[in-house]
Amino acid sequence: KAEREVRVEDEIGSQDPLGFYAPLNLCADGNQEKFDRLRYVELKHGRISMLAFVGNLVTRAGLHLPGSIDLDGNGFDSFPDGTAALIGPDAIPGAGFAQIFLLVGALETLVMKDVAGTAEFPGDFRNGALDFGWDTFGPDTQARKRGIELNNGRAAMIGILGLMVHEQIPGNPVVGFGFQNAYEAYN
């Protein structure tokens, strides 16, 4: 089987000021399949990180889902924000964590993939159903939007890691003074 070669310098995400940045040289051999797999994983982790970062900010602002998180009547706001919601003395129960894990696993294996085989690029999960006007954009706009998503995902990966690390430093606010209860201050 002949392997396709990739010119990583020409791929989306190879942008100024860094150009193509690969400190581990994982794509030095120019293998297109390996590059596409790594790009898919980068996009997936970027999308998850964007959700995690915004979710962290939203819950720290005091916004939580209404209703109960368990059959005992505990509300979503009765558990701590951030990493403390998953680990620690006041974390959600193990059964709740298992449900989150199973939901993510189901999404990963059943939903978030190219089931129709019509993906135009790594991470394209439209599957002929969801479009939201993507096909109305020209090639330059599509490339720009894909680059924006990639860079936002990269920033979110660093951002959520920073929030998680900062949360573990004793006596330090995660986001800043006053932001954690901003919602209560205005309502």
Side-chain angles (χ1 to χ4, degrees):
K1 171 182 170 183
E3 293 181 351
R4 297 180 299 152
E5 288 198 18
V6 62
R7 281 189 38 87
V8 292
E9 299 83 15
D10 298 332
E11 290 288 334
I12 290 177
S14 179
Q15 300 166 194
D16 291 333
L18 291 178
F20 183 72
Y21 179 69
L24 300 178
N25 288 325
L26 296 176
C27 296
D29 60 358
N31 183 318
Q32 180 73 46
E33 287 79 19
K34 184 195 305 185
F35 178 83
D36 288 346
R37 173 67 182 149
L38 291 172
R39 176 53 50 88
Y40 167 77
V41 171
E42 182 182 17
L43 279 167
K44 177 171 57 171
H45 285 96
R47 289 170 179 170
I48 292 167
S49 295
M50 286 187 273
L51 289 170
F53 188 85
V54 171
N56 198 306
L57 295 180
V58 167
T59 57
R60 289 188 183 282
L63 297 171
H64 296 87
L65 292 172
S68 300
I69 194 170
D70 60 16
L71 296 176
D72 294 333
N74 294 315
F76 285 92
D77 59 351
S78 65
F79 293 97
D81 302 318
T83 308
L86 300 176
I87 56 175
D90 297 325
I92 60 173
F97 186 80
Q99 289 174 29
I100 293 170
F101 185 80
L102 290 173
L103 173 65
V104 170
L107 289 173
E108 176 73 19
T109 57
L110 302 174
V111 179
M112 301 308 294
K113 62 182 185 175
D114 180 24
V115 294
T118 58
E120 295 176 18
F121 49 86
D124 178 8
F125 300 138
R126 291 176 292 152
N127 293 310
L130 297 174
D131 188 70
F132 300 114
W134 179 257
D135 291 331
T136 64
F137 298 127
D140 291 341
T141 303
Q142 288 180 349
R144 185 176 61 81
K145 288 183 177 290
R146 287 179 57 208
I148 289 169
E149 179 189 23
L150 191 60
N151 284 330
N152 285 346
R154 290 169 177 170
M157 284 187 264
I158 299 300
I160 193 62
L161 180 62
L163 287 175
M164 291 166 55
V165 168
H166 196 70
E167 184 177 341
Q168 300 305 313
I169 299 172
N172 286 307
V174 174
V175 178
F177 297 108
F179 182 75
Q180 293 178 350
N181 295 314
Y183 180 74
E184 284 84 12
Y186 291 104
N187 289 310

